[in-house]
């Protein structure tokens, strides 16, 4: 009786968010133990076999219910390369994976991105199910169908859109995260404050995840391929990605986005798009999550600007998603002098 009650309580704690894309719509399930729904998801897909690519211990993998192979993966930006994608695809061939089978990712954002791109390319597309195990991956990388790998010149410059068949955000995974990794995910949650999620700072973590996913789902449903509205999801990312690159990823993604969010508020103020109180709110929210808000002590503004010019959004000069009277919008052709002055006015980390 007690076991049944506990299971019922856990089921009630689950939240489902739908990413509405017509016949390619899919659920994002959030809550404790949702990874164990994997076998049912694969049965609905009709997958006869599955390759599970995992950056986590084997006991983190649920039973897929069909014959499977497990491939080891590694999280970390240094593994987010085309060579990793090629290695995965060659293993798919060795296993005999067909287009009627499926791939499962289990890991953080790097694993989600790399496995998603491999699934998009192999046989021109096989179904993929994501089991994101980091907070960053649950609120961002696992949802939305963007898959990409890095080049030495910049982040996510090679990729494809490939929507998953389902995403299972098991919050039990988060209990094992080290503090810095958990904080890393809050960088994406913090920036949601300025793009439509509202203030979720006082909510329990599963509700913060659900609010972030619901916001992303609504944006992706309206603009799957980044032709307009979806650019708002890159709030704080232009500087954030540049910080990752110039520090050789010593600055983690969510940390960079947090610093980039503070910068976005200050740049919007410099351009007259928002007032000082709204700019200060950016710092208040980021600090409220305990996130970093200052540029690294040795970050070179000229180098940051150079890398920001390579951003995928930068089709007409330096380009940023910035807050404004009508909400966040894509602002192109921002003067380098204004960007440099704003960077110079940012706090610097000590040591």
């Amino acid at each position: 009786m007690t076991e049944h009650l506990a299971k019922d309580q856990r089921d009630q704690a689950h939240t489902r968010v739908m990413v509405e894309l017509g016949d390619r719509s899919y659920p994002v399930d959030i809550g404790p133990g949702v990874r164990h729904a994997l076998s049912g998801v694969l049965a609905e897909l009709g997958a006869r076999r599955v390759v599970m690519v995992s950056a986590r211990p084997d006991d983190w993998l649920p039973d897929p219910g069909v014959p499977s192979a497990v491939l080891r993966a590694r999280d970390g930006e240094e593994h987010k390369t085309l060579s990793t994608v090629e290695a995965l695809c060659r293993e798919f061939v060795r296993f005999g994976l067909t287009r009627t089978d499926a791939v499962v990712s289990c890991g953080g954002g790097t694993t989600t991105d790399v496995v998603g791109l491999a699934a998009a390319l192999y046989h021109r597309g096989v179904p993929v199910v994501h089991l994101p195990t980091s907070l960053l991956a649950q609120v961002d990388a696992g949802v939305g169908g963007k898959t990409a790998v890095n080049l030495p010149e910049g982040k996510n410059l090679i990729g494809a859109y490939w929507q998953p068949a389902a995403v299972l955000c098991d919050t039990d995974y988060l209990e094992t995260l080290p503090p810095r990794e958990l904080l890393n995910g809050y960088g994406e949650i913090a920036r949601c404050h300025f793009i439509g999620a509202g203030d979720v700072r006082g909510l329990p973590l599963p509700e913060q995840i659900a609010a972030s996913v619901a916001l992303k789902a609504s944006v992706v449903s309206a603009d799957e391929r980044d032709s307009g509205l979806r650019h708002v999801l890159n709030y704080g990312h232009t500087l954030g990605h540049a910080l990752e690159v110039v520090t050789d990823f010593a600055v983690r993604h969510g940390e960079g986005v947090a610093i980039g969010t503070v910068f976005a508020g200050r740049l919007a103020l410099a351009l007259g798009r928002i007032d000082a109180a709204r700019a200060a709110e950016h710092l208040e929210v980021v600090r409220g999550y305990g996130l970093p808000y200052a540029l690294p002590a040795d970050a070179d503004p000229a180098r940051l600007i150079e890398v920001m010019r390579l951003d995928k959004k930068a089709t007409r000069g330096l380009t940023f998603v910035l807050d404004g009277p009508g909400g966040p919008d894509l602002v192109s052709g921002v003067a380098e002098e204004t960007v440099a002055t704003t960077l110079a006015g940012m706090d610097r980390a000590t040591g």
Side-chain angles (χ1 to χ4, degrees):
M1 179 72 176
T2 303
E3 289 182 1
H4 290 161
L5 180 60
K7 182 181 184 301
D8 289 344
Q9 289 174 336
R10 286 166 70 86
D11 288 344
Q12 290 171 8
H14 297 169
T15 300
R16 169 166 287 187
V17 176
M18 290 298 301
V19 181
E20 301 289 355
L21 292 167
D23 59 3
R24 293 178 297 108
S25 298
Y26 58 92
V28 181
D29 288 336
I30 304 156
V34 297
R35 67 187 184 277
H36 297 297
L38 178 64
S39 59
V41 171
L42 295 173
E44 287 185 19
L45 288 174
R48 295 175 300 174
R49 310 174 85 207
V50 63
V51 172
M52 306 179 76
V53 185
S54 177
R56 299 295 181 262
D58 286 347
D59 60 4
W60 286 34
L61 289 170
D63 180 4
V66 294
S68 62
V70 177
L71 303 180
R72 302 257 55 94
R74 292 182 180 180
D75 275 326
E77 294 289 337
E78 66 272 22
H79 303 294
K80 196 172 165 182
T81 64
L82 275 175
S83 62
T84 303
V85 172
E86 179 184 358
L88 287 176
C89 289
R90 295 183 71 181
E91 291 295 334
F92 296 169
V93 174
R94 292 188 183 97
F95 183 65
L97 199 73
T98 73
R99 292 180 70 180
T100 61
D101 298 321
V103 177
V104 174
S105 76
C106 180
T110 295
T111 298
T112 299
D113 267 7
V114 170
V115 175
L117 183 56
L121 298 176
Y122 184 74
H123 286 327
R124 298 189 180 91
V126 295
V128 63
V129 178
H130 294 312
L131 276 61
T133 60
S134 70
L135 179 56
L136 183 69
Q138 290 191 5
V139 300
D140 185 42
V143 180
K146 276 189 177 180
T147 71
V149 294
N150 303 334
L151 291 175
E153 291 78 8
K155 282 263 297 180
N156 298 334
L157 295 181
I158 300 175
Y161 293 93
W162 189 246
Q163 299 294 342
V167 182
L168 302 175
C169 296
D170 194 326
T171 53
D172 286 343
Y173 284 142
L174 305 181
E175 295 176 1
T176 65
L177 294 181
R180 188 181 179 192
E181 185 55 46
L182 193 64
L183 191 65
N184 193 36
Y186 274 111
E188 292 285 357
I189 293 176
R191 71 85 162 85
C192 286
H193 182 105
F194 301 99
I195 60 175
D199 192 347
V200 301
R201 283 175 285 179
L203 299 179
L205 181 55
E207 294 182 35
Q208 292 178 323
I209 296 170
S212 300
V213 170
L215 171 66
K216 185 165 188 178
S218 68
V219 172
V220 171
S221 297
D223 179 22
E224 180 182 6
R225 291 181 173 264
D226 240 347
S227 60
L229 176 64
R230 188 164 178 167
H231 60 239
V232 304
L233 297 175
N234 287 112
Y235 203 87
H237 283 60
T238 304
L239 178 60
H241 283 167
L243 285 168
E244 290 181 81
V245 171
V246 304
T247 64
D248 197 21
F249 300 101
V251 171
R252 308 289 300 280
H253 177 74
E255 295 168 343
V257 169
I259 299 167
T261 295
V262 174
F263 171 78
R266 295 190 177 192
L267 185 59
L269 174 63
L271 294 174
R273 295 178 55 84
I274 60 175
D275 60 23
R278 180 64 167 174
E281 187 178 345
H282 285 66
L283 178 60
E284 175 197 344
V285 169
V286 166
R287 292 184 67 174
Y289 283 103
L291 288 156
Y293 56 89
L295 290 176
D298 58 352
D300 178 11
R303 174 65 176 140
L304 289 171
I305 291 172
E306 178 185 346
V307 175
M308 287 191 284
R309 288 191 181 281
L310 299 175
D311 187 89
K312 297 184 300 300
K313 301 183 299 299
T315 56
R316 291 186 291 118
L318 286 164
T319 302
F320 302 87
V321 180
L322 298 175
D323 201 0
D329 203 357
L330 195 65
V331 180
S332 299
V334 180
E336 181 174 328
E337 180 180 354
T338 304
V339 174
T341 301
T342 305
L343 285 171
M346 292 280 288
D347 291 325
R348 288 277 181 165
T350 55

